[in-house]
Amino acid sequence: MACAHRDHPMTQQPLAQPPLAAGHWRLVDLAAVFMAFTLPLPTALGSIATVLLLLSWLLSRRWGEQFQRWRAVPTALWATALLLMFVIGTTYSAGTAHGVSNFMGKYAKLLLIPVLIMALTHPVWRRRAIHAFFLGAVIATALSYLRFFNWVPASLHESVVQGHIHFGTIMAFAAYGLARKAFEPGRWRWLWAAIALWMTFDLLYVNIARTGYVIVFALIVLLAWQRFKLRGLVIGALGAAVLAGVAFTAFPVAKTRLELAVQNIQQYQQFERTRDGNLNTNSLGLRLQFWHNSLRLIAQHPIAGTGTGSLHEEYGKLVAGTHTLDAVNPHNEYLSTTVQLGVIGLALLLGMGIAAWRDGRKLPAIERDTLHGVIVTIAVGSLFNSLLLDVNEGRFFVVMLGLLLAAVASLARQHANDGSSSPPAPRVARMLDGAD
């Protein structure tokens, strides 16, 4: 472990620190790998991994060095600020004590972004964590196929694969990530491409995740743009359109989900005209209704919102005496954050995303593209779901950001020690990528 720390000396450290206890840092690294592995898998595993990661981080010490790493990555600062705003939001929340504590517990996962950035100093362990995520995604996809062919007991169908929104979101990104790896030279590139196609087919043919459908089409456009720039936008759009056409006409599940979406919208339009009946079984209609009413709440408290965990109570007051179904969250992360924290919270959320995109540009090409893929996955998915609030999808977002941006902290510290004020040259970045 001493060699690893020699590669990453502490910025502006006048005196050498005593050797770091190897077991402590190794525990953090192992916990991060386990955490990444659990992201596509059942929730209980992820909860265990979170506890292990936080405990091992608290034991890792070297707080001066960790502070320097935190300060070197703007995304870590934005994530900390957003988390603090949610904490402040508890002081003026209109929600119940249970609602406030429940929501605050879910948003506390934002802490994992700076924790991983501070703790993961070694490129080898960052690479292992990313590989562990893809391994978990392969296992989750295999379980999905096994369930589809009824090769697992019916009693286990709901437990072997997570909810369809979680599964669709993460599998869409995993397919993109492996497809991106397939563009890199190496003997495994055809295997990565084959697995990416295998995952995409499972997502579109087997599963019902409409959010996953939209995300995978968006990621196709992103990947084409990353590889072929402006003409890639045309290539990607055409490719996504062709795949969508095939899926929605030839794949029974996807076709049924599209037809249901059209019916949902027609029923919502009918309800808006007549106010007859309700939308309790209309998923898209409910989302449209949630979004409309959330905008009404935002108009009432635009600056700082109604506080963390307040949406359920405030929404209930707004729709009292109507046929409208009550809402715990509006199934849109941008609206959810703005209702609770106002435009201040929305600015912090968007600022974190923009900072992450810009930080990613400091990374080697494949890591940069992968990070941008994470951001697009969550940005698109958050249009239809409150992904940061949701346990699994939110954990995926913060963990992947932390894992990938930990390399930015290492580059910044190396750059500071080199005494240069210009970004590392691309050749150096590629060398680090190879070492990673």
Side-chain angles (χ1 to χ4, degrees), residues 1 19 42 68 103 208 216 264 310 372 380 407:
M1 299 295 291
Q68 295 294 335
F103 271 55
I208 64 173
V216 81
N264 283 175
S310 61
H372 289 170
V380 172

Side-chain angles (χ1 to χ4, degrees), residues 193-314:
I195 296 175
L197 290 173
W198 179 65
M199 288 179 172
T200 303
F201 183 77
D202 176 73
L203 180 64
L204 296 175
Y205 190 85
V206 174
N207 286 279
I208 64 173
R210 285 182 299 216
T211 298
Y213 301 165
V214 177
I215 292 173
V216 81
F217 298 145
L219 289 174
I220 288 172
V221 176
L222 174 68
L223 179 61
W225 173 73
Q226 289 171 336
R227 302 310 299 163
F228 307 111
K229 301 307 176 186
L230 288 179
R231 64 191 178 97
L233 292 176
V234 177
I235 296 171
L238 289 175
V242 170
L243 181 59
V246 172
F248 292 135
T249 57
F251 294 178
V253 173
K255 182 180 179 181
T256 299
R257 294 295 285 168
L258 177 62
E259 292 171 349
L260 182 59
V262 173
Q263 292 174 12
N264 283 175
I265 294 173
Q266 292 173 344
Q267 290 170 3
Y268 173 76
Q269 292 171 337
Q270 176 71 16
F271 175 81
E272 286 294 299
R273 286 195 300 268
T274 65
R275 292 291 169 176
D276 184 28
N278 59 64
L279 299 170
N280 293 0
T281 60
N282 185 328
S283 63
L284 278 183
L286 283 174
R287 277 177 167 80
L288 292 170
Q289 193 173 71
F290 290 161
W291 299 345
H292 173 72
N293 288 328
S294 294
L295 289 172
R296 293 172 60 192
L297 288 175
I298 291 168
Q300 294 175 10
H301 305 275
I303 305 303
T306 53
T308 304
S310 61
L311 193 144
H312 181 61
E313 282 66 34
E314 292 297 309

Side-chain angles (χ1 to χ4, degrees), residues 31 34-53 158-163 166 170 391-393 395:
F34 180 55
M35 168 71 82
F37 173 72
T38 66
L39 292 178
L41 299 172
T43 306
L45 291 173
S47 299
I48 294 170
T50 301
V51 173
L52 290 176
L53 178 65
E158 296 301 319
S159 59
V160 297
V161 177
Q162 283 300 299
H166 167 232
I170 294 182
V391 174
N392 295 302
E393 296 90 325
R395 184 185 293 135

Side-chain angles (χ1 to χ4, degrees), residues 298-357:
I298 291 168
Q300 294 175 10
H301 305 275
I303 305 303
T306 53
T308 304
S310 61
L311 193 144
H312 181 61
E313 282 66 34
E314 292 297 309
Y315 195 94
K317 294 176 187 177
L318 186 70
V319 301
T322 71
H323 295 292
T324 303
L325 188 69
D326 205 353
V328 176
N329 79 76
H331 294 272
N332 179 299
E333 187 58 53
Y334 309 106
L335 293 177
S336 177
T337 299
T338 310
V339 168
Q340 296 175 85
L341 304 180
V343 294
I344 296 174
L346 179 63
L348 290 171
L349 178 65
L350 296 177
M352 182 178 70
I354 293 169
W357 187 277

Side-chain angles (χ1 to χ4, degrees), residues 61-84:
R61 300 176 300 175
R62 290 181 77 93
W63 302 111
E65 178 182 350
Q66 295 201 50
F67 175 75
Q68 295 294 335
R69 292 178 62 84
W70 171 78
R71 194 174 65 173
V73 183
T75 305
L77 306 181
W78 281 93
T80 304
L82 179 58
L83 177 58
L84 288 176

Side-chain angles (χ1 to χ4, degrees), residues 138-157:
V138 168
I139 293 173
T141 304
L143 291 172
S144 175
Y145 277 109
L146 290 174
R147 185 177 68 171
F148 177 71
F149 290 112
N150 289 316
W151 291 347
V152 295
S155 59
L156 297 178
H157 276 200

Side-chain angles (χ1 to χ4, degrees), residues 109-169:
K109 67 173 75 76
L110 283 164
L111 180 63
L112 295 177
I113 296 176
V115 164
L116 287 164
I117 288 172
M118 291 187 291
L120 286 185
T121 62
H122 306 299
V124 170
W125 285 100
R126 291 195 294 269
R127 182 185 65 189
R128 289 171 179 169
I130 298 298
H131 288 174
F133 165 77
F134 286 121
L135 176 60
V138 168
I139 293 173
T141 304
L143 291 172
S144 175
Y145 277 109
L146 290 174
R147 185 177 68 171
F148 177 71
F149 290 112
N150 289 316
W151 291 347
V152 295
S155 59
L156 297 178
H157 276 200
E158 296 301 319
S159 59
V160 297
V161 177
Q162 283 300 299
H164 63 275
I165 296 175
H166 167 232
F167 184 87
T169 299

